[in-house]
Amino acid sequence: MHTLGYLVRYLISLFALLILAAIPQVFYYTGNPMLGQQQIAFEPKMIVIVVRGFLEGILSAESFYYISGSSKRFFPSDIVGYFNSSYFYVAGSGLIVILLSFVFGIWLWKASGRYLNGILSFLGMIPDFIFILILQLLVNGIYKSTGIKTVKVASLSTNEPAIFLPILTLVIIPFVYLVRTLNERTHEVITEDYIVTAVAKGLSKIEIYLFHITTNVIPFLKADLHKVTSIMISNLFIVEYLYNTRGITTMLFQLQVKFGYQYNVVVLSLFTLVLLYIAVFLSFKLLIILIERILKHA
């Protein structure tokens, strides 16, 4: 029954995705723009037409081909590189966030609560696109003032990707969220009776933090993995655009701007984002399991 419930939710999500991608096809211009008679028309039945066309195209494999300039390309073969790029940035940033959250959210929770939270709160208030522009201007300012090249402000090509600034941008917001959450949970755990008992038995501070506090805070971290993954995937859109990293959002947005709206590309790109979410979430979960096993056998 539980499996059936998951299956129903996935089917509903897939159906919603197909409809969402078809919405731009519902609106179109009519009339003669030269005579100033152009207006927007609304045709709901286009949703049924484009969705049906896409599903029929899957059987003939036509839905997996898209137009890029004057050429016709096969989506599955092209999307692999874009997927790998997005996965590298999101998963890499997430692993950094999780590891740092252990340090500042659990083991150094008092110091981070006293000194770090104010800085993190301020950074978390800055919109992503402004934060990115500030970082890029700062790097350019350092180069103009000193002639020293520090980090790339954008990817020039797939062979010369910007790495540091995109990862830093993706790290900030989920790091702020996790540190705050784990600080609160750590404070709650420390007041529990079993921690008082551990102190009374003469266990060292390191032993208490590693084997009692951390192991009891980790379940809260697990519960927040979905939220952390969602935050990072949502931030990926603006990060890939402003840093010019060739990820999934390049196919989802930039391709449509250059060569016109292609329903099949949008649907397949959104589906790829779902796969990215699953892959990233499982990677985070695997890291947590690994940390738990290390603590268990330490």
Side-chain angles (χ1 to χ4, degrees):
M1 193 69 180
H2 190 64
T3 305
L4 180 61
Y6 273 115
L7 180 61
V8 171
R9 282 199 292 269
Y10 288 143
L11 290 175
I12 292 174
S13 299
L14 178 60
F15 182 70
L17 186 149
L18 292 172
I19 294 177
L20 177 66
I23 289 177
Q25 304 280 35
V26 171
F27 300 93
Y28 60 94
Y29 287 105
T30 61
N32 191 336
M34 300 298 294
L35 300 177
Q37 298 175 344
Q38 193 173 31
Q39 59 184 359
I40 298 176
F42 177 68
E43 195 66 55
K45 69 179 182 180
M46 286 299 297
I47 293 179
V48 178
I49 294 173
V50 296
V51 170
R52 184 176 60 190
F54 174 78
L55 295 177
E56 291 174 352
I58 290 179
L59 299 177
S60 63
E62 187 64 27
S63 291
F64 297 106
Y65 288 89
Y66 69 99
I67 303 299
S68 179
S70 59
S71 61
K72 194 173 185 180
R73 302 184 61 87
F74 189 54
F75 183 90
S77 62
D78 289 346
I79 198 62
V80 173
Y82 294 105
F83 179 90
N84 290 339
S85 175
S86 295
Y87 176 80
F88 167 77
Y89 285 107
V90 179
S93 302
L95 296 180
I96 293 172
V97 168
I98 292 173
L99 292 176
L100 288 179
S101 68
F102 272 96
V103 176
F104 295 101
I106 301 177
W107 301 327
L108 299 178
W109 71 278
K110 284 186 178 180
S112 63
R114 189 177 305 167
Y115 304 110
L116 191 63
N117 274 348
I119 299 173
L120 293 178
S121 298
F122 174 74
L123 292 176
M125 291 171 58
I126 303 175
D128 283 347
F129 73 95
I130 294 179
F131 184 67
I132 291 172
L133 293 176
I134 290 173
L135 290 176
Q136 291 175 327
L137 290 172
L138 179 62
V139 171
N140 285 328
I142 293 173
Y143 175 69
K144 290 180 178 179
S145 301
T146 64
I148 299 175
K149 294 182 179 180
T150 51
V151 294
K152 291 184 176 69
V153 297
S155 299
L156 301 177
S157 67
T158 54
N159 296 324
E160 298 181 3
I163 296 177
F164 180 78
L165 292 185
I167 287 180
L168 176 62
T169 306
L170 286 170
V171 162
I172 292 298
I173 294 180
F175 180 57
V176 170
Y177 170 76
L178 268 187
V179 167
R180 283 179 174 177
T181 302
L182 295 184
N183 276 352
E184 295 175 1
R185 301 307 181 188
T186 301
H187 180 69
E188 292 175 4
V189 168
I190 284 178
T191 59
E192 296 291 338
D193 292 338
Y194 55 82
I195 301 298
V196 177
T197 303
V199 173
K201 289 182 177 180
L203 295 178
S204 67
K205 188 174 182 179
I206 294 178
E207 289 176 322
I208 292 174
Y209 267 87
L210 284 178
F211 306 120
H212 294 280
I213 296 176
T214 301
T215 53
N216 286 285
V217 173
I218 283 180
F220 297 107
L221 176 58
K222 282 183 178 180
D224 280 330
L225 284 182
H226 277 294
K227 189 166 186 177
V228 170
T229 307
S230 299
I231 291 172
M232 302 192 77
I233 295 293
S234 63
N235 291 344
L236 182 67
F237 286 80
I238 193 167
V239 167
E240 289 190 341
Y241 179 74
L242 292 181
Y243 288 121
N244 196 36
T245 61
R246 293 173 61 83
I248 298 172
T249 60
T250 301
M251 295 287 283
L252 185 58
F253 294 117
Q254 296 182 37
L255 186 71
Q256 316 306 314
V257 174
K258 289 182 180 179
F259 307 115
Y261 191 83
Q262 299 180 66
Y263 174 78
N264 62 321
V265 174
V266 174
V267 170
L268 294 174
S269 296
L270 290 174
F271 181 71
T272 307
L273 277 175
V274 174
L275 295 180
L276 176 66
Y277 179 96
I278 295 171
V280 170
F281 174 77
L282 292 178
S283 298
F284 294 166
K285 197 166 185 179
L286 183 62
L287 176 63
I288 300 298
I289 292 173
L290 180 62
I291 292 174
E292 284 182 316
R293 290 192 176 185
I294 291 173
L295 293 176
K296 185 177 180 180
H297 297 288

